[in-house]
Amino acid sequence: MLETLLLFDERMIEHDPGPGHAERSDRLRAIEAVLSLRSLTNSRIEPARAATEEEIARVHSFDHIARVGELAGQYGSLDPDTHLSPDSVRAAVLAAGAAAKGVDAVCTGRSANAFALVRPPGHHAVANRGMGFCLFNNIAIAAAHARATHGKRRIVVIDWDVHHGNGTESIFYDTDSVLFFSVHQAPLYPGTGEARASGTGAGLGYTVNVPLQAGAGNGDYARVFREVILPIAEQYGPDLVLVSAGFDAHRDDPLGGMELTEEGFATLCGEVKQFAVGQRAPLMLSLEGGYDLAGLAKSVHACIDVLTGDTPPPADPRSSSRAESDLRAVVERQREYWKL
Ligand SMILES: [Zn+2]
């Protein structure tokens, strides 16, 4: 039986955005503690590799790559939230490379699925700049790598981080070769991700935003997946499924106002895994946010359990009226492009 590949690398712990920063080294240490406690049944851990400049340049401008590169070995900032320490550029290059390595493993059939346990996160980084704790857009680099190296032409990216994946959206906004979903809290940083933002040109209809008011829980998210994301993804017929797996929609997270639990994340992971298997599409997750250490570690652990073969918890049947009206607005919007 093929194993789940877990990409974990000590060198990504060394990225230090400074005292008091939410996106801190302890996040990966908490995940490392979980990895050290679990049995490695059906899974194996491998280190990251460095992304090449060619791989990063598929989604980022040379200006941005040069600006980040100049900060190697130094302290610096890309925006008021995004700070670098001397080891940060190396960590960012490894994070992008881990996501690309995960794609290689699942696309060649070497692994059943993969989870790149990376930091810094990536989904806020746009082509020409880093922002929101993100230097390079790891999931976008992974998708572009799959397109360039494995001939993937119909890539689904599902972003369940509590923040809108504005960087990934903007990078693939005008293409139909990536179908991008973001389910996120609104209003919240970075302020984008309205339901009416649906793509442009050849990409029209291939960006699907699901903004939800604060307070949405396990049952609400399960409905979003069953009633919007997976039905649209099925009509698209993906040849690769990527997940921007942030865990800041966890109920204990200090940056988000959602009510998901680790069981809720396991349910979502199970829905996506079952979908990908049914589509015969390889599956890779890449870590984004998640700032409550216990909530993050438990949620990552729960998702790894599902990836390695455990039966996920059933979807919570409860849903809230606020999420119901948010969902209705999204379905109304998406009926312009998809059968729902
Ligand atoms: Zn986030």
Side-chain angles (χ1 to χ4, degrees):
M1 181 178 161
L2 286 173
E3 296 169 323
T4 294
L5 175 61
L6 304 171
L7 293 150
F8 180 86
D9 203 301
E10 296 274 341
R11 293 170 291 176
M12 287 188 272
I13 293 176
E14 291 162 17
H15 161 54
D16 178 12
H21 200 287
E23 204 292 279
R24 59 207 191 277
S25 300
D26 284 348
R27 297 179 62 236
L28 271 195
R29 289 202 185 95
I31 291 171
E32 184 178 35
V34 159
L35 294 180
S36 70
L37 290 175
R38 50 177 299 130
S39 102
L40 282 175
T41 309
N42 296 340
S43 62
R44 66 179 189 284
I45 301 173
E46 290 185 9
R49 67 164 173 83
T52 65
E53 183 167 320
E54 182 189 351
E55 286 168 341
I56 298 172
R58 289 187 189 122
V59 308
H60 289 294
S61 69
F62 285 106
D63 278 358
H64 175 56
I65 295 170
R67 261 194 311 273
V68 172
E70 281 165 13
L71 291 171
Q74 299 184 38
Y75 291 93
S77 294
L78 299 181
D79 80 356
D81 300 319
T82 313
H83 310 297
L84 287 75
S85 63
D87 295 312
S88 295
V89 174
R90 184 176 69 175
V93 170
L94 288 166
K101 181 175 176 177
V103 158
D104 286 335
V106 298
C107 289
T108 57
R110 192 166 68 83
S111 300
N113 47 48
F115 195 166
L117 299 161
V118 301
R119 63 183 288 276
H123 71 151
H124 294 308
V126 301
N128 199 34
R129 69 189 176 101
M131 59 181 276
F133 317 164
C134 302
L135 278 60
F136 297 129
N137 194 314
N138 308 316
I139 205 82
I141 289 166
H145 180 63
R147 230 167 26 181
T149 307
H150 299 285
K152 299 299 182 187
R153 288 291 172 270
R154 301 185 76 73
I155 301 169
V156 159
V157 178
I158 300 171
D159 187 328
W160 72 45
D161 188 280
V162 80
H163 302 97
H164 176 233
N166 63 298
T168 315
E169 174 186 278
S170 71
I171 288 165
F172 299 121
Y173 206 57
D174 62 356
T175 179
D176 60 1
S177 68
V178 174
L179 170 56
F180 177 65
F181 295 93
S182 180
V183 50
H184 47 267
Q185 183 181 326
L188 192 66
Y189 181 90
T192 45
E194 292 176 345
R196 64 186 163 83
S198 309
T200 188
L204 189 61
Y206 296 91
T207 288
V208 178
N209 281 311
V210 185
L212 299 175
Q213 297 167 74
N218 292 345
D220 299 315
Y221 271 78
R223 285 193 62 187
V224 166
F225 276 66
R226 289 187 171 179
E227 296 178 28
V228 176
I229 294 179
L230 298 177
I232 292 176
E234 185 169 11
Q235 288 165 55
Y236 183 67
D239 53 15
L240 175 64
V241 177
L242 302 176
V243 179
S244 263
F247 296 96
D248 39 11
H250 192 280
R251 61 156 48 135
D252 296 332
D253 196 275
L255 300 193
M258 294 309 202
E259 296 293 333
L260 277 173
T261 64
E262 49 275 21
E263 291 83 9
F265 280 114
T267 301
L268 300 185
C269 188
E271 297 272 341
V272 173
K273 181 188 171 190
Q274 186 184 25
F275 169 74
V277 168
Q279 297 285 318
R280 299 178 190 278
L283 170 65
M284 188 202 65
L285 284 65
S286 186
L287 182 65
E288 300 285 359
Y291 304 101
D292 176 71
L293 296 182
L296 171 66
K298 285 187 289 188
S299 299
V300 166
H301 185 55
C303 285
I304 294 173
D305 281 346
V306 170
L307 291 173
T308 55
D310 281 11
T311 304
D316 188 330
R318 292 169 296 181
S319 64
S320 69
S321 55
R322 276 194 300 187
E324 166 81 37
S325 70
D326 293 338
L327 192 57
R328 251 201 320 266
V330 168
V331 166
E332 226 23 70
R333 174 77 201 178
Q334 292 304 324
R335 280 187 177 142
E336 292 183 32
Y337 308 107
W338 306 95
K339 290 195 194 84
L340 287 177

